[in-house]
Amino acid sequence: MERILIIDDDAALCELVGEYLQPLGFAVEAVHRGDTGVERALRSEHDLILLDVMLPGQNGFEVLRQIRESSKVPVLMLTARGDDVDRIVGLEIGADDYLPKPFNPRELAARVRAILRRSSSRDDAELATTLVVGDVEMELGTRLVRRSGKIVELTAVEFEVLERLLRAAGRITTREELSREVLGRSPSPFDRSIDMHISNLRKKLGHQIGAAERIKTVRGVGYIYAQPGATKGA
């Protein structure tokens, strides 16, 4: 049974989420303060954390920063509807996805399942695969990524986005593909989730491979990961 930790000061909401998710096969635990949420997240093993932004004790961003210092557990941020700043900040810090409040329980379940199934559907052959493109090496089984031999810490979503870019190196990977395959949904016109994950990858891996742009934006379409030996403007 997959374990979900909710860190949200709205006790009624936590109870409703638990009542909805538990019959679907999830074990749900809730805490209502940011500081105690950090302690619980780091002390116990969970498969996913639902994290509110506005919390007593510590806000959700500080909670996320502390979790990311030592854990790659997937985090779904719960944000105020229409508050793009909260969403962007959460994704920059290392959230895997966000869900605006108020939300439909079915949408929550869909987001949760999309996050949890990313690494659970691979067969043994896939898990033994190592992808190498230029200075980046990705081990699918251990989920380790190295650049020039040094380990690069990625969130679960960043890993999945990078894998798809590496497999299609030199070709366009559309935002639609990335959103559907990684986030489990079609992108909306104002959804910047994939863009923020790409931005994080550029920061962590470096913007250039030699003279070439590592991940080039094709405006209005998607992204191209540079092939080894590519030159700037090629």
Side-chain angles (χ1 to χ4, degrees), residues 89-100:
V89 171
L91 293 169
E92 285 179 335
I93 296 172
D96 292 78
D97 203 356
Y98 64 82
L99 185 61

Side-chain angles (χ1 to χ4, degrees), residues 96-112:
D96 292 78
D97 203 356
Y98 64 82
L99 185 61
K101 289 182 175 182
F103 49 78
N104 185 306
R106 287 189 176 183
E107 175 69 8
L108 172 64
R111 297 286 182 95
V112 167

Side-chain angles (χ1 to χ4, degrees), residues 124-142:
D124 292 340
E126 282 185 299
L127 291 175
T129 299
T130 298
L131 301 178
V132 180
V133 179
D135 59 352
V136 170
E137 178 182 348
M138 169 180 278
E139 297 178 5
L140 299 188
T142 61

Side-chain angles (χ1 to χ4, degrees), residues 46-156:
H46 297 89
D47 297 290
L48 175 71
I49 294 175
L50 301 178
L51 176 60
D52 191 23
V53 173
M54 300 300 294
L55 290 166
Q58 289 178 335
N59 67 44
F61 300 135
E62 184 57 34
V63 171
L64 180 57
R65 286 190 184 94
Q66 292 186 46
I67 291 173
R68 280 291 170 258
E69 287 176 0
S70 58
S71 175
K72 295 181 180 179
V73 61
V75 175
L76 176 61
M77 294 290 292
L78 304 177
T79 67
R81 184 171 300 276
D83 197 336
D84 293 335
V85 174
D86 281 356
R87 301 174 190 181
I88 291 170
V89 171
L91 293 169
E92 285 179 335
I93 296 172
D96 292 78
D97 203 356
Y98 64 82
L99 185 61
K101 289 182 175 182
F103 49 78
N104 185 306
R106 287 189 176 183
E107 175 69 8
L108 172 64
R111 297 286 182 95
V112 167
R113 284 172 168 152
I115 292 172
L116 292 175
R117 70 167 173 255
R118 286 174 190 138
S119 60
S120 63
S121 60
R122 300 177 186 275
D123 57 30
D124 292 340
E126 282 185 299
L127 291 175
T129 299
T130 298
L131 301 178
V132 180
V133 179
D135 59 352
V136 170
E137 178 182 348
M138 169 180 278
E139 297 178 5
L140 299 188
T142 61
R143 297 182 74 83
L144 282 178
V145 174
R146 296 181 178 87
R147 182 176 66 86
S148 301
K150 295 182 179 180
I151 292 177
V152 179
E153 297 289 348
L154 300 181
T155 67

